[in-house]
Amino acid sequence: SAAAFLVPLEKGLPLMDGFYHLHSTYLQGTGKVSYALLLSLLRQAVVPAACMLAAHGLAGLPGLVWSGPMTEVLCVGTGAWMCRRWQKWMPGEASHATALPETGAANRGLQGGQM
């Protein structure tokens, strides 16, 4: 039935959307805005158009329904690949981007366990 095949879509797409935003925010926050912009363009224009054309050619109208989930899966996978690639080439250690500085005004008063 139609309702049975909509349940995975209803439950899975919000999770995939969350992973996409996680990847995009990570790339922006660590200084690789060009990757984040490319990921956004892929998700909003390039991949959906390609998925719609391919899915419609293969399965007709039901293929168009499945082009949305296909887009999400491809973009989350691409985002994970971009994050991993950027993490390998990130200056310094990967944990350095989110660590508090050990000296300076940014954490004055927090050294030595003081709060």
Side-chain angles (χ1 to χ4, degrees), residues 30-106:
T30 56
K32 199 61 173 171
V33 179
S34 60
Y35 277 22
L37 178 64
L38 178 62
L39 184 60
S40 183
L41 288 173
L42 286 172
R43 182 174 184 252
Q44 299 298 324
V46 177
V47 176
C51 284
M52 281 187 231
L53 290 172
H56 180 62
L58 292 172
L61 189 58
L64 288 176
V65 172
W66 285 101
S67 67
M70 287 174 18
T71 297
E72 292 293 330
V73 168
L74 288 172
C75 287
V76 166
T78 303
W81 175 78
M82 287 178 165
C83 287
R84 185 68 181 140
R85 181 172 180 202
W86 173 234
Q87 190 177 26
K88 284 183 180 180
W89 296 103
M90 191 183 305
E93 295 181 24
S95 62
H96 179 70
T98 57
L100 286 174
E102 296 200 15
T103 61

Side-chain angles (χ1 to χ4, degrees), residues 18-39:
F19 280 116
Y20 159 77
H21 287 289
L22 180 71
H23 293 143
S24 180
T25 303
Y26 173 79
L27 290 168
Q28 289 177 25
T30 56
K32 199 61 173 171
V33 179
S34 60
Y35 277 22
L37 178 64
L38 178 62
L39 184 60

